[in-house]
Amino acid sequence: MTNAGASEARDRDADGRARNARPRDGLGRPLPYGAQGEPRQPEGVLRTPDETVTEAQDLLDAGRPFHAHEVFEDAWKSGPEDERTLWRGLAQLAVGLTHAARGNAVGGARLLRRGAGAVEVFEQERGEDRPYGMDLAGLARWARELAQRVEQGAGPVDPVAEAPRLGCGEPH
């Protein structure tokens, strides 16, 4: 098959952008076409920051960190330029938890630390440690602790039990 043929065979959305239409499981792993998968998060949804935090927390609480990552990714791509570090960091935390739940210790730890670093950079640059009610210092601490446990052989983690609390003062 030529390169042109390979690109024509890719799943595409109504605008012609490449979109994988395969169903996915709760941790975002592709399933065979025709299999019953988890409902996908629609892409490109414009939400207020508070709606983003609420929806992502609901998904994290349900053990769906991959889907929470997609919500954060929408905010990262559509939000104000000066908040992109925050939303990108939160997306990295969610996908880091996804990898840890899938048993990918190296990738999970790396993304958890990268996300922790991004939210810390945002906090330092903006001098704002609780944007939209989120406890950035607590999230960075959670991510670094989970990364260490995963690297030490915690095995696949339970995404519900390990889900972070985004808000200030909320129990984990």
Side-chain angles (χ1 to χ4, degrees), residues 73-88:
E73 194 170 81
D74 283 342
W76 160 24
K77 291 179 178 181
S78 67
E81 182 68 34
D82 66 343
E83 291 187 1
R84 290 204 173 153
T85 300
L86 170 66
W87 301 114
R88 184 184 69 235

Side-chain angles (χ1 to χ4, degrees), residues 1-8:
M1 181 182 277
T2 66
N3 285 343
S7 66
E8 289 172 9

Side-chain angles (χ1 to χ4, degrees), residues 10 12 18 30 46 56 76 113 131 134 137 146 159:
R10 294 182 77 182
R12 302 220 174 251
L46 296 178
W76 160 24
R113 287 193 178 100
M134 291 183 290
L146 180 57

Side-chain angles (χ1 to χ4, degrees), residues 23-169:
R24 294 186 178 262
D25 71 7
L27 292 175
R29 291 176 288 227
L31 298 169
Y33 286 103
Q36 182 65 36
E38 290 285 317
R40 304 267 312 251
Q41 289 305 117
E43 293 184 47
V45 175
L46 296 178
R47 300 171 186 86
T48 67
D50 289 330
E51 290 169 339
T52 296
V53 172
T54 298
E55 187 169 345
Q57 185 68 69
D58 289 346
L59 291 163
L60 289 166
D61 291 345
R64 299 178 70 204
F66 177 81
H67 304 278
H69 135 268
E70 291 179 329
V71 171
F72 287 134
E73 194 170 81
D74 283 342
W76 160 24
K77 291 179 178 181
S78 67
E81 182 68 34
D82 66 343
E83 291 187 1
R84 290 204 173 153
T85 300
L86 170 66
W87 301 114
R88 184 184 69 235
L90 293 167
Q92 290 168 331
L93 293 177
V95 82
L97 176 56
T98 299
H99 281 284
R102 290 176 178 174
N104 177 357
V106 172
R110 182 178 296 131
L111 283 160
L112 287 163
R113 287 193 178 100
R114 189 177 298 155
V119 297
E120 288 169 335
V121 164
F122 177 85
E123 180 180 355
Q124 291 164 2
E125 288 178 353
R126 294 276 298 257
E128 188 175 355
D129 64 344
R130 294 193 176 350
Y132 310 112
M134 291 183 290
D135 178 7
L136 298 186
L139 286 169
R141 187 172 42 256
W142 163 82
R144 292 184 194 289
E145 289 170 1
L146 180 57
Q148 184 174 3
R149 282 190 288 123
V150 167
E151 283 180 328
Q152 292 172 347
V157 300
D158 178 344
V160 173
E162 296 295 345
R165 296 304 304 168
L166 302 173
C168 304

